[in-house]
Amino acid sequence: MRNGLDKDLIARVLGAEPKWTIAELEAKFPPRDLPDGAFVTRFAPSPTGFMHIGNLYSMLIDYKLASQSGGVFMLRIEDTDTKREVEGAVDLVKNAIRDFGFKYNNDEIYGPYFQSQRKDIYRSVAAELLARGLAYPCFLTADEMEEIRVKQNAAGFATGIYGEWARDRDLTADEIIAHLDNGEVPTIRLYSTGDPNKRIFCKDAVRGSISFPENNEDLVLIKSNDGLPTYHFAHLCDDHFMRTTHVVRGEEWLPSLPLHYQLFNMMGWTPPIYIHTATLDKIDAETGKQRKMSKRKDPENNLAFFLAGGWPTEALIEYLGNILAPGYEEAKLKGAVKTFWDYEMKPKKIPMSGGLFDMKKLEWWAKEYIGAMPVADLVTAVTNWANEYGTDENKMQVADAKYLSAVLGIERDNPKRVRKDFITWKQTLENVAFFWDKLFVPAIDYEYNRDVLRAFLETYDPADDKDTWWNKIVAIAEKTGIKNGDVAMNLRVALAGRTNTPDLYSIMSVMGGDMVRGRIGRVLNG
């Protein structure tokens, strides 16, 4: 077994004495007191830009598995890549979690939850690895590593620091001290004992047991420039001491699985269960082929697209839940469950191939969701969206809550005939814009029967009930020699500027006598 470094040299290599022993860390972050089978998951984004649909897809799995099992869902900010960090990105993450209705439980015992604030934990674990000879200080410069990479490429070898290319993996204590005395700051590298000719078996909750070649690369654990850990080392320490049971991440991380198993095994810790999700795909408009959603090409990849566009966040959750849990839509249509939160999602059934994200299918889920909303909730949702994202015209539309309630309440009192023409909060307001004179667009090309409109005004009484109103329509049709529907169509276009609307009597009732007379009068005088 390889000898490690002594306590004093470890302190010099790390720039400080480790704050805790492993035993002290185990006591500081004890196993969680949770029911058997409870999932402890974490959403762990890097604050490097906008929140995309893949983030929501992954976060939904995390949150659903934790909530349905009586477990814990955490938010961890992986801010160790200081060069790529974007100002304000953490707020974007927290706002997205709030906007989509998730709640995280960041218990103080297991914090802090920013990796940049956990340096002492990483140093303490690195000290243990250095003491056991499982890690070593490396003094290779950037130029020297580039020279190695060039030579490896020229010889057709895999690039990286491993084997004979790992110059410093067996430095003596005196050689390490000489480098330190020279003012050199080392990275801390894994002393890998893996053999790529051998295979390691790793478990994925979706794919089952998978074998990979063992990792032989001496990957960096602690960086020299800022003393922060790499993703791989932070992952090891944080998921162990936060007592994470399940890690949800994209399938692009599958090649890292043998390394992470190697790290957990070296520490003698049980690795979490990994769930590697497939990509979210779409049908490319130009090629007609299925491809991965793109940050650059697809505006709907950005969660801000859905929020600013007024898509019901609950409908987006329902749609993604249907992609994640085959069988959910059928259960919902049969009335076995009301929402995705009522349906048990099983990790083994999460699709292994790319889930197809279809905006038309999302429209269906949105119509279903809005169609089932009580009017009061619909008014609240539309108002909240308009006040945060809408135009001045939208804000004007929601200023009178009573009038808006009457407008949005048309044809929503019959549960057997659910109205399904609203898709987003933005489109809802556009759909009913004709109820406001300032937003009304007359149908200037429609050929009105002005005799019908004059006859209607002669007998129009806003106090008429629906039967009385309809009898007057019939009388006008008989008088003018046209069909009842043609009379109604003339009125509909004059009042709404369109040929397709909800119930005409309800429209007139909401508009009131003055608006009805005014719009018909403008047609007659036009």
Side-chain angles (χ1 to χ4, degrees):
M1 183 175 178
R2 182 172 180 268
N3 292 326
L5 307 184
D6 65 32
K7 182 179 178 181
D8 291 338
L9 187 50
I10 289 173
R12 281 203 67 186
V13 166
L14 293 176
E17 290 188 8
K19 190 171 183 178
W20 298 290
T21 64
I22 298 299
E24 289 170 337
L25 285 171
E26 296 286 1
K28 179 177 174 61
F29 304 110
R32 294 176 182 268
D33 183 16
L34 294 171
D36 289 343
F39 285 50
V40 179
T41 64
R42 79 312 192 262
F43 179 54
S46 298
T48 54
F50 67 80
M51 287 283 286
H52 55 81
I53 194 73
N55 292 140
L56 180 61
Y57 188 67
S58 178
M59 181 165 51
L60 178 58
I61 303 174
D62 283 318
Y63 188 74
K64 174 63 173 167
L65 292 177
S67 60
Q68 75 180 19
S69 65
V72 172
F73 168 70
M74 300 175 286
L75 170 64
R76 186 171 79 214
I77 303 298
E78 300 194 339
D79 59 342
T80 58
D81 191 345
T82 53
K83 292 181 179 178
R84 294 179 60 226
E85 186 169 344
V86 175
E87 186 177 354
V90 173
D91 289 334
L92 286 177
V93 171
K94 292 182 176 180
N95 291 343
I97 293 174
R98 176 203 65 201
D99 291 338
F100 283 90
F102 300 146
K103 296 179 181 178
Y104 54 89
N105 180 11
N106 282 11
D107 190 314
E108 289 184 8
I109 292 175
Y110 299 95
Y113 290 87
F114 283 75
Q115 288 184 333
S116 59
Q117 299 171 12
R118 297 172 65 85
K119 273 188 177 182
D120 287 335
I121 297 171
Y122 308 130
R123 281 199 187 114
S124 298
V125 178
E128 171 74 8
L129 291 171
L130 288 166
R132 292 168 54 193
L134 300 175
Y136 65 93
C138 175
F139 299 92
L140 284 169
T141 65
D143 288 342
E144 288 170 334
M145 286 187 287
E146 175 61 19
E147 186 178 338
I148 289 172
R149 189 189 66 80
V150 170
K151 289 179 179 178
Q152 288 171 332
N153 278 330
F157 295 136
T159 57
I161 304 303
Y162 61 90
E164 64 182 279
W165 307 100
R167 185 197 68 188
D168 295 349
R169 76 190 318 245
D170 291 310
L171 292 178
T172 65
D174 287 341
E175 288 171 327
I176 293 171
I177 291 170
H179 279 288
L180 295 172
D181 287 344
N182 195 39
E184 299 173 51
V185 179
T187 59
I188 308 302
R189 287 187 180 274
L190 169 71
Y191 192 96
S192 180
T193 57
D195 181 350
N197 295 313
K198 297 179 181 178
R199 300 190 75 82
I200 182 172
F201 286 85
C202 309
K203 185 177 181 182
D204 178 276
V206 178
R207 294 163 173 79
S209 182
I210 318 172
S211 70
F212 297 90
E214 290 183 350
N215 169 67
N216 71 329
E217 188 172 353
D218 291 357
L219 287 153
V220 174
L221 304 179
I222 301 287
K223 297 177 286 183
S224 61
N225 61 333
D226 54 16
L228 288 171
T230 58
Y231 168 83
H232 305 291
F233 190 53
H235 167 96
L236 166 78
C237 302
D238 293 341
D239 283 329
H240 178 70
F241 290 119
M242 289 180 176
R243 307 300 175 178
T244 305
T245 64
H246 292 73
V247 171
V248 179
R249 59 189 186 183
E251 63 185 3
E252 67 271 16
W253 288 106
L254 269 170
S256 299
L257 199 50
L259 168 63
H260 294 158
Y261 261 69
Q262 181 184 33
L263 291 171
F264 275 97
N265 291 338
M266 288 173 70
M267 292 301 301
W269 296 340
T270 302
I273 296 173
Y274 292 88
I275 300 172
H276 290 89
T277 61
T279 59
L280 273 180
D281 297 348
K282 66 174 290 184
I283 300 298
D284 189 277
E286 295 180 2
T287 66
K289 296 181 179 180
Q290 186 167 331
R291 62 165 173 80
K292 181 180 177 181
M293 291 184 74
S294 164
K295 292 181 180 180
R296 183 173 57 85
K297 293 182 179 180
D298 305 317
E300 69 270 29
N301 193 53
N302 190 337
L303 289 187
F305 167 87
F306 297 98
L307 296 171
W311 289 85
T313 54
E314 298 87 346
L316 188 53
I317 293 296
E318 289 284 283
Y319 178 44
L320 291 177
N322 184 59
I323 294 175
L324 288 169
Y328 168 58
E329 183 177 350
E330 182 180 357
K332 182 180 176 72
L333 292 175
K334 288 181 177 179
V337 294
K338 289 185 177 180
T339 72
F340 179 60
W341 304 116
D342 303 323
Y343 187 81
E344 183 180 5
M345 187 179 79
K346 298 179 180 179
K348 287 184 179 180
K349 293 189 175 182
I350 295 173
M352 283 192 288
S353 58
L356 184 60
F357 190 88
D358 182 353
M359 291 297 292
K360 286 295 182 183
K361 187 65 175 178
L362 175 60
E363 285 186 9
W364 181 87
W365 283 95
K367 289 177 181 179
E368 290 291 316
Y369 176 77
I370 296 176
M373 290 181 78
V375 175
D377 292 347
L378 176 57
V379 169
T380 298
V382 169
T383 300
N384 289 342
W385 174 83
N387 287 331
E388 183 169 358
Y389 296 102
T391 62
D392 290 341
E393 287 78 11
N394 295 144
K395 293 180 175 64
M396 178 267 294
Q397 285 178 274
V398 303
D400 185 341
K402 184 177 180 180
Y403 184 63
L404 181 63
S405 296
V407 170
L408 297 181
I410 293 175
E411 289 189 351
R412 293 184 71 88
D413 54 358
N414 184 357
K416 294 182 179 179
R417 187 170 178 267
V418 179
R419 183 176 176 183
K420 295 182 180 178
D421 56 339
F422 296 148
I423 302 171
T424 70
W425 314 137
K426 179 180 181 181
Q427 177 266 347
T428 297
L429 289 175
E430 291 171 349
N431 186 294
V432 299
F434 65 87
F435 279 95
W436 286 264
D437 282 333
K438 185 177 179 180
L439 305 178
F440 174 59
V441 180
I444 57 176
D445 295 329
Y446 186 78
E447 294 185 8
Y448 292 101
N449 185 324
R450 285 171 169 73
D451 291 338
V452 165
L453 298 180
R454 290 189 190 95
F456 177 79
L457 286 182
E458 289 173 3
T459 62
Y460 172 58
D461 184 348
D464 285 344
D465 61 26
K466 191 167 188 177
D467 288 339
T468 303
W469 172 83
W470 180 248
N471 289 334
K472 290 180 178 180
I473 297 290
V474 173
I476 292 170
E478 291 176 351
K479 178 181 176 181
T480 56
I482 64 175
K483 296 178 181 179
N484 299 341
D486 291 335
V487 175
M489 184 59 72
N490 272 269
L491 294 170
R492 176 174 285 107
V493 177
L495 296 173
R498 60 186 71 169
T499 58
N500 185 20
T501 70
D503 178 65
L504 183 58
Y505 175 78
S506 298
I507 289 175
M508 290 185 174
S509 298
V510 170
M511 285 183 168
D514 290 344
M515 186 179 290
V516 169
R517 292 189 185 96
R519 293 206 178 165
I520 295 175
R522 279 193 288 274
V523 172
L524 293 174
N525 297 325

